[in-house]
């Protein structure tokens, strides 16, 4: 149960504070829990042991292997206990004994319903089952958490927990980011929910996995890692002053001030240094708290950018990032062309954003309209100023997050059309017999007939499509031609950019030669043609200037142009030329010369700067020079100005690679000032910078932070939330992080504000990442069902727009998706929607769709509907479908007719299909028709004709080279192999199986390999027993099951291999059988297959019994019994109790233990359930066991019970056995009269005349026993002689000389010593001598003493 604290937290929605204090019931039954033996075979380090180690790695993961030690408590109980212990004991010390931090984080997974917001118990149990499977095979989970930057420790399915840990703070930072953005839950959904789940819940889209993490534990672990590293950035949590260390000034810190700290050699204090003014001091460790993980990463990674250029990180302005207008509080005349002059009280409009932590901002004078830099401290807010709720200044800025919508739209639609294409109209479908010669027929009511109205609708659709065939086809062709012509002749892109030719003449050019260039450059305002001049890529070297061979020529040319501009007082031209010269010098690493040019560019112009892009370009390039020359004084003067320009001017032109250093400086100031809105803006600018330079790895952290801040601050942005997610998805895809990429796209495409393009991009992403998502453990996933929600939403968008052609395409895709997963009713529904869309481009497409619909009805066992559709196609005009389509229809019609048992019409349809494909010379279709005819002949029991057709099909297939036909070929080979085995041709059957198996391997068809291998295993196990071959194929089948991730199949194969090894009968084979049994047991426990689990426990106990490891036998068998009881199925429990007794009953030692299982467990349950046959069998087994144990008195009761039940069954064989056993018991008890009575009753039930030698031998044995009993025990030689005579007669009829020798000897003895008949005595003595000679017996003793001495031996001689 959850603690009250946990309940309150869940109720209040504070899932982050979830604590793990649960006492959940074990999955093992009460009996199992009491004995505590469940999962005793598991070995490996338990979670509690692992978590006690500091930052344990994957070595602590439970391996799921087995051991032969004495079982302990159940796995689930042990793990729950270990989790609690790990919370208490899993810790490490950081420089002091009191510093204890967690070493593991518990991730709780809860299946929720989106509509109600409550957990779903049924879905939670499904999730728990998947976790249980992965608990012992955690490779997939480990891979996903590795992608999430976490390290898997263990899985606890009984508590829905995954235990993870981290080694570095970067891992915590990444994981926390993914969790906050909602990616972890989506990754868990892709991992834990199987393919069928997505389709079953496609209509509601309501289920989701909620990931609960204890944020306090995560923060504590992060703190511990940082303290272990020693040097880190921390935030002061108390406002106070501290003693100075080496500096003369006192370290004064305010609340939330950030410092860099280092540990002292001893004690609990740390050395701290302020990031603002560089003062140092000693501070108590308790007064520090590490900064957030992103800030920690940023400050550690970019240490060269962390030092401040000014001593102030916050100015007196009431808004963190403001927009609107303000009033000047002082007079300013402006100290340069980039500064704005104003009077006190003037209204200044904020250009872009005013950031309170920056010294400057860009303002526009309300009266003059001039733009320039304004100091933040020189203004005060007006009534119109307000806090900004946006990151972007205008629409153009968000372009870096926008995909090329039209490109993606066309690409996605092309991909959908490719998905919807089918070869059903050209390639024939193959029938399948299933089990040889059988046809699965559903009840008649499920095979609903087609109404007359439906038939008319089908004919109407066919006629409409035929009427529209020609005009629509021509129209579509003309449209295609127009599109091609448009693409072939691109439209002009507008007037070209100016281009200037540089003469190579040695003479100095005249001033007139520079006039065009100077006139172009001497513009007061910015022109679009200047972009190539300002951009960091140096595009102007090729686009603006031509005619030079080396850059030095261009430098000389620009130098002369500079002089000309200076002489002509063309100041703006001179400024821009100086800027270009500075860039070229910086490129050649001539930084001093470049600095001179850039400073000249700023000092030439005396009037206000109107070209703000030029101002930004000159300042950023000059700042880059100062940074490279390490001129901190100059940097401090210019950085704040540039920061204001970058934050206020939208879409500025990036002019230098060092711009990122300036942006990092701004980001550092926003972090120190705790200005999250400005931080979001700066992250955007950094992401934009790195994205334009194609440095996506560097851009990714800032985009993640921007998205996180947007979500945290609920910023109202002009771009859609999907744009961020799609950009992140693209970057994650490039980094080969498929789960994260698909998660981003799911956020974008399934958001309430998503667009059609978002859905199409989502489809594209999922399909392209499918191979990465399911590369491990889920082979064979062609189209992932996760694409279903995107298809459905896209269908809604297209329907609203009335785009019927695209609706039809998506309906076809959804239909194929459902068909692939054998959900045929849904597939039919979407295919009907496609038919009703009335958007056919040709009648060929319409026919293909109708053929697909008919095939779906056949797969859904609705053969009458399929026949009506196929007949309607054949009834229309021949021009409406191609000959190949007609052949496909005849072939499919034959399949449907076979299933309704109309063999004659099916054969006629196949003949027509064969004629068409022979005309078309389509060998593959001929092979399929021959195969289908062979299946039809098998169904009709025309075996010779069936063999001929199937062999022809195999021959045709073998002549083909196209690998696309491999599956059909494999199907024919397997069916032919089954046919030969059914005809008892054991040499040919496995040959075709192995042929199919080899083709499946070459074609890499996992499902076909499984099918062929299963048939080979069955053949060598039951038809032609060969344990070695069967084990070889079973091992390969096991590998295939693992590859496809089919745990159920894997468990069954392991169970089968165990039985095969056990049947070999050697000690080594027994040990191998034990290993496979334990592996299957682990899987059955994970799958909660209680019956399979119980038998696996019992099988392990049986093997231990065979290996004489008696100390473990009782334990395993006891757990098997408890598992059987936990199922609640009395009949299964009864079956297992008897099987447990059989372990000892069929053994050669400890047979007495079987009595306990038969008498105390099985028999009472058999009586309770009224299972008379099982009572009879158990009573007979108990009688035999008790006779061997000489418990004759107890045996009488069970012998009488067996007799009574046998009489009630009216079964002479069982009744005879019961009489015989009862007679044997009375004989052993010395009650010879009763024994004689029941022996005779048993003999009376034998058939007459005797049919088998066994019956005659039974007569011999019983009469001899009766004679011995009367002669030796009742001392009645006269009656004994009569029984001996009867026994002798039976022995003579049987021809058994040994029995005749024994009986003749005894008769000779009786007549010689007791009945005194010398003649008969001599007769039997002579007969005995003859038999003795034949059997090489040397001596015959007629003394009665010899026989009386053997009385004790003979009276216990019994037989069954």
């Amino acid at each position: 149960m959850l603690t009250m604290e946990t309940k309150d937290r869940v109720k209040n929605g504070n899932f982050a504070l979830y604590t793990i204090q649960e006492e959940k019931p074990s999955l093992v039954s009460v009996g199992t829990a009491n004995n505590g033996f469940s999962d005793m075979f598991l070995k490996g380090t338990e979670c509690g042991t692992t978590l006690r180690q500091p930052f344990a790695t994957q070595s602590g993961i439970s391996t799921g292997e087995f051991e032969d030690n004495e079982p302990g408590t159940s796995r689930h109980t042990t793990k729950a206990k270990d989790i609690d212990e790990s919370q208490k004991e899993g810790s490490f010390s950081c420089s002091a004994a009191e510093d204890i931090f967690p070493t593991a984080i518990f991730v709780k997974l809860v299946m929720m319903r989106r509509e109600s917001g409550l957990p779903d118990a049924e879905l939670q149990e499904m999730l728990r089952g998947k976790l249980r499977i992965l608990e012992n095979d955690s490779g997939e989970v480990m891979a996903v958490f590795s992608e999430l930057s976490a390290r898997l420790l263990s899985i606890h399915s009984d508590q829905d927990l995954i235990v993870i840990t981290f080694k570095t703070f970067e891992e915590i930072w990444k994981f926390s980011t993914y969790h906050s953005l909602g990616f972890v839950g989506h990754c868990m959904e892709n991992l834990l929910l199987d393919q069928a789940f997505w389709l079953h819940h496609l209509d509601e889209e309501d289920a989701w996995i909620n990931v609960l993490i204890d944020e306090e534990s995560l923060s504590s672990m992060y703190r511990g890692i940082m303290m272990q590293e020693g040097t880190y950035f921390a935030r002061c949590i108390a406002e106070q002053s501290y003693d100075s260390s080496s500096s003369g000034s006192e370290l004064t810190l305010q609340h939330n001030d950030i410092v860099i700290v280092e540990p002292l050699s001893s004690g609990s204090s740390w050395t701290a240094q302020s990031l603002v003014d560089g003062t140092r001091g000693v501070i108590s460790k308790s007064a520090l708290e590490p900064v957030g993980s992103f800030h920690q990463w940023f400050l550690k990674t970019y240490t060269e950018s962390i030092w401040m250029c000014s001593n102030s990180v916050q100015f007196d302005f009431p808004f963190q990032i403001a927009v609107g207008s303000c009033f000047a509080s002082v007079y300013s005349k402006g100290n340069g062309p980039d500064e704005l002059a104003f009077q006190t009280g003037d209204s200044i409009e904020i250009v872009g954003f005013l950031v309170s932590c920056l010294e400057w901002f860009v303002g526009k004078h309300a009266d003059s309209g001039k733009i320039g830099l304004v100091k933040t401290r020189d203004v005060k807010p007006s009534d119109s100023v307000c806090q900004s709720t946006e990151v972007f200044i205008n629409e153009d800025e968000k372009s870096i997050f926008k995909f090329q919508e039209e490109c993606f739209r066309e690409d996605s639609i092309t991909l959908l059309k490719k998905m919807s294409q089918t070869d059903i109209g050209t390639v024939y479908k193959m029938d399948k017999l299933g089990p040889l010669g059988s046809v699965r027929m559903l009840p008649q009511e499920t095979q609903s007939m087609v109404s007359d109205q439906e038939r008319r609708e089908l004919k109407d659709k066919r006629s409409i499509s035929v009427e529209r065939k020609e005009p629509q086809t021509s129209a579509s062709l003309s449209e295609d031609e127009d599109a091609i012509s448009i693409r072939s002749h691109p439209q002009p892109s507008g007037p070209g950019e100016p281009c200037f030719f540089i003469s190579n003449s040695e003479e100095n050019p005249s001033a007139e030669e520079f006039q065009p260039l100077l006139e172009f450059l001497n513009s007061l305002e910015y022109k679009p043609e200047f972009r190539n001049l300002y951009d960091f890529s140096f595009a102007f070297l090729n686009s603006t200037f031509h005619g030079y061979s080396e850059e030095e020529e261009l430098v000389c040319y620009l130098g002369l142009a500079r002089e000309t501009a200076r002489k002509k007082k063309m100041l703006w031209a001179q400024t821009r030329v100086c800027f270009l010269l500075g860039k070229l010098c910086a490129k050649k690493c001539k930084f001093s010369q470049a600095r001179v040019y850039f400073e000249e560019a700023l000092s030439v112009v005396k009037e206000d700067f109107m070209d703000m892009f030029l101002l930004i370009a000159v300042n950023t390039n000059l700042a880059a020079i100062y940074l490279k020359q390490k001129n901190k004084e100059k940097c401090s003067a210019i950085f704040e100005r540039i920061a204001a320009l970058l934050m206020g001017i939208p879409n500025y032109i990036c002019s230098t690679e060092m711009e990122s250093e300036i942006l990092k400086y701004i980001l550092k100031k926003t972090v120190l000032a705790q200005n999250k809105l400005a931080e979001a803006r700066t992250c955007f600018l950094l992401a934009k910078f790195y994205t334009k330079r194609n440095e996506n790895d560097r851009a990714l952290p800032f985009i993640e932070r921007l998205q996180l801040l947007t979500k945290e601050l609920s910023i109202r942005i002009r771009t859609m939330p999907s744009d961020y997610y799609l950009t992140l998805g693209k970057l994650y895809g490039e980094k080969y992080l498929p789960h994260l990429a698909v998660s981003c796209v799911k956020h974008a495409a399934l958001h309430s504000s998503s667009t059609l393009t978002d859905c199409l991009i989502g489809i594209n992403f999922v399909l392209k990442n499918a191979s990465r998502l399911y590369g491990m453990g889920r082979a064979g996933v062609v189209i992932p069902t996760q694409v279903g929600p995107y298809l459905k939403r896209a269908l809604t968008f297209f329907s609203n727009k009335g785009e019927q052609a695209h609706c039809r395409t998506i309906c076809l895709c959804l239909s194929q998706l459902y068909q692939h997963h054998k959900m045929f009713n849904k597939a039919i529904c979407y295919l009907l929607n496609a038919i009703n869309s009335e958007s056919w481009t040709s009648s060929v497409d319409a026919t293909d769709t109708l053929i697909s619909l008919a095939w779906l009805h056949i797969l859904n066992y609705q053969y009458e509907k399929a026949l009506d559709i196929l007949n309607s196609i054949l009834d229309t005009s021949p021009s409406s479908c191609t000959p190949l389509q007609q052949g496909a229809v005849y072939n499919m019609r034959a399949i449907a007719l076979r299933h309704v048992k109309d063999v004659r019409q099916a054969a006629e349809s196949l003949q027509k299909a064969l004629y068409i494909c022979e005309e078309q010379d389509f060998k593959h279709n001929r092979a399929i028709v021959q195969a289908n005819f062979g299946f039809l002949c098998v169904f009709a029991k025309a075996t010779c004709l069936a063999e001929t057709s199937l062999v022809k099909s195999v021959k045709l297939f073998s002549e083909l080279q196209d690998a696309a036909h491999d599956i059909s070929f494999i199907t024919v080979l397997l069916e032919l192999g089954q046919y030969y085995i059914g005809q008892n041709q054991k040499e040919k059957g496995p040959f075709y199986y192995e042929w199919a198996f080899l083709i499946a391997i070459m074609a890499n068809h996992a499902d076909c390999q499984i099918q062929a291998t299963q048939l080979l295993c069955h053949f060598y196990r039951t038809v032609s027993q060969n344990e070695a071959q069967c084990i070889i194929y079973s091992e390969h089948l096991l590998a295939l099951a693992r590859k496809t991730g089919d745990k159920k199949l894997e468990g069954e194969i392991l169970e089968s291999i165990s039985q095969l090894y056990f049947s070999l009968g050697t000690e080594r084979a027994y040990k191998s059988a034990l290993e496979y049994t334990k592996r299957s047991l682990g899987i059955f426990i994970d799958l909660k297959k209680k019956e399979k689990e119980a038998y696996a426990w019992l099988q392990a106990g049986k093997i231990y019994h065979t290996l004489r490891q008696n100390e473990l036998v009782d334990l395993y068998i006891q757990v098997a019994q408890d598992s059987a009881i936990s199922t609640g199925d009395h009949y299964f429990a009864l079956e297992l109790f008897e099987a447990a007794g059989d372990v000892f009953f069929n053994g050669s030692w400890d047979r007495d233990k079987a009595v306990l299982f038969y008498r105390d467990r099985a028999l009472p349950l058999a009586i309770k359930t009224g299972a008379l046959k099982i009572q009879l069998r158990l009573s007979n087994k108990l009688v035999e066991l008790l006779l061997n144990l000489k418990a004759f008195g107890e045996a009488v009761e069970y012998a009488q019970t067996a007799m009574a039940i046998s009489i009630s069954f009216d079964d002479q064989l069982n009744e005879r056995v019961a009489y015989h056993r009862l007679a044997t018991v009375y004989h052993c008890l010395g009650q010879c009269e009763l024994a004689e009575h029941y022996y005779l009753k048993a003999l009376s039930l034998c058939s007459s005349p005797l049919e088998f030698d066994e019956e005659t031998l039974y007569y011999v044995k019983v009469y001899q026993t009766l004679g011995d009993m009367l002669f030796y025990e009742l001392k009645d030689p006269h009656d004994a002689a009569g029984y001996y005579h009867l026994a002798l007669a039976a022995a003579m009829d049987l021809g058994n000389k040994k029995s005749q020798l024994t009986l003749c000897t005894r008769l000779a003895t009786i007549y010689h010593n007791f009945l005194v008949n010398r003649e008969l005595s001599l007769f039997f003595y002579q007969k005995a001598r003859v038999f003795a000679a034949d059997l090489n017996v040397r001596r015959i003793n007629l003394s009665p003493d010899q026989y009386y001495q053997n009385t004790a031996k003979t009276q216990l001689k019994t037989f069954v």
Side-chain angles (χ1 to χ4, degrees), residues 68-322:
D68 296 339
N69 299 328
E70 182 176 345
T73 56
S74 76
R75 168 178 60 182
H76 309 291
T77 306
T78 302
K79 289 187 176 180
K81 180 180 178 182
D82 287 338
I83 291 174
D84 294 334
E85 291 178 356
S86 67
Q87 287 182 304
K88 299 176 182 178
E89 303 178 20
S91 61
F92 60 88
S93 177
C94 296
S95 76
E98 66 272 13
D99 294 329
I100 298 177
F101 306 103
T103 61
I105 302 298
F106 302 101
V107 180
K108 178 83 172 179
L109 305 180
V110 182
M111 288 296 300
M112 306 285 289
R113 287 290 184 182
R114 202 176 305 276
E115 183 176 349
S116 64
L118 297 175
D120 188 292
E122 182 180 353
L123 293 177
Q124 188 68 29
E125 185 60 32
M126 178 199 69
L127 176 67
R128 190 174 295 126
K130 182 62 176 179
L131 284 173
R132 194 177 300 111
I133 293 173
L134 295 173
E135 195 165 356
N136 295 319
D137 185 11
S138 56
E140 287 184 75
V141 186
M142 191 181 302
V144 172
F145 274 100
S146 176
E147 187 173 323
L148 294 171
S149 298
R151 300 166 186 264
L152 177 68
L153 286 180
S154 58
I155 302 172
H156 305 271
S157 58
D158 56 324
Q159 293 183 304
D160 309 315
L161 290 177
I162 298 177
V163 186
I164 59 175
T165 191
F166 306 93
K167 274 194 171 182
T168 64
F169 83 89
E170 289 91 350
E171 292 178 353
I172 294 181
W173 161 48
K174 284 293 185 183
F175 182 81
S176 300
T177 302
Y178 300 147
H179 177 58
S180 300
L181 293 176
F183 297 160
V184 178
H186 288 165
C187 291
M188 293 297 100
E189 290 169 5
N190 284 329
L191 171 69
L192 300 174
L193 304 181
D194 58 20
Q195 291 290 298
F197 175 86
W198 299 97
L199 286 183
H200 285 300
H201 295 80
L202 180 59
D203 293 333
E204 51 194 39
E205 296 182 20
D206 189 36
W208 62 289
I209 294 180
N210 190 17
V211 179
L212 307 178
I213 297 176
D214 188 353
E215 299 288 350
E216 293 179 2
S217 297
L218 191 62
S219 299
S220 182
M221 177 183 283
Y222 167 64
R223 176 182 173 86
I225 292 177
M226 297 315 305
M227 295 181 73
Q228 273 194 330
E229 289 191 3
T231 301
Y232 65 96
F233 293 89
R235 193 182 304 278
C236 182
I237 59 178
E239 182 176 345
Q240 52 187 306
S241 299
Y242 301 93
D243 295 334
S244 62
S245 55
S246 59
S247 63
S249 58
E250 186 181 56
L251 174 62
T252 302
L253 296 178
Q254 296 182 354
H255 181 63
N256 283 333
D257 279 358
I258 297 178
V259 295
I260 181 171
V261 296
E262 297 177 357
L264 295 175
S265 57
S266 61
S268 59
S269 297
W270 296 67
T271 300
Q273 183 178 10
S274 172
L275 295 185
V276 178
D277 55 15
T279 57
R280 299 172 65 90
V282 178
I283 186 171
S284 172
K285 184 168 53 177
S286 61
L288 296 173
E289 180 182 87
V291 298
S293 53
F294 171 78
H295 296 155
Q296 192 77 239
W297 165 81
F298 171 71
L299 295 173
K300 277 179 171 286
T301 304
Y302 301 104
T303 54
E304 68 278 2
S305 302
I306 66 172
W307 301 112
M308 294 290 295
C309 296
S310 66
N311 291 336
S312 178
V313 295
Q314 186 70 35
F315 295 93
D316 187 16
F317 202 83
F319 302 106
Q320 288 188 340
I321 179 168

Side-chain angles (χ1 to χ4, degrees), residues 757-768:
T757 303
D758 297 333
C759 295
L760 295 176
I761 293 174
I763 295 170
N764 209 323
F765 262 75
V766 173
L767 292 177
K768 289 184 177 179

Side-chain angles (χ1 to χ4, degrees), residues 1213-1228:
L1213 178 60
N1214 284 326
E1215 192 175 347
R1216 185 174 66 185
V1217 171
Y1219 279 127
H1220 181 89
R1221 288 185 183 276
L1222 184 58
T1224 302
V1225 174
Y1226 280 125
H1227 186 190
C1228 294

Side-chain angles (χ1 to χ4, degrees), residues 235 295 313-315 317-322 354-358 387-388 647 666-683 705 709 713:
R235 193 182 304 278
H295 296 155
V313 295
Q314 186 70 35
F315 295 93
F317 202 83
F319 302 106
Q320 288 188 340
I321 179 168
L354 184 155
V355 181
S356 61
C357 61
L358 296 180
Q387 181 90 341
S388 174
M647 295 293 284
I666 302 173
L667 181 58
K668 188 254 315 202
K669 285 206 72 173
T670 63
V671 171
L672 295 180
Q674 302 177 61
N675 191 333
K676 290 190 174 181
L677 288 168
E679 181 184 346
R681 170 70 179 173
T682 313
C683 286
R705 181 64 178 171
L709 288 172
L713 302 175

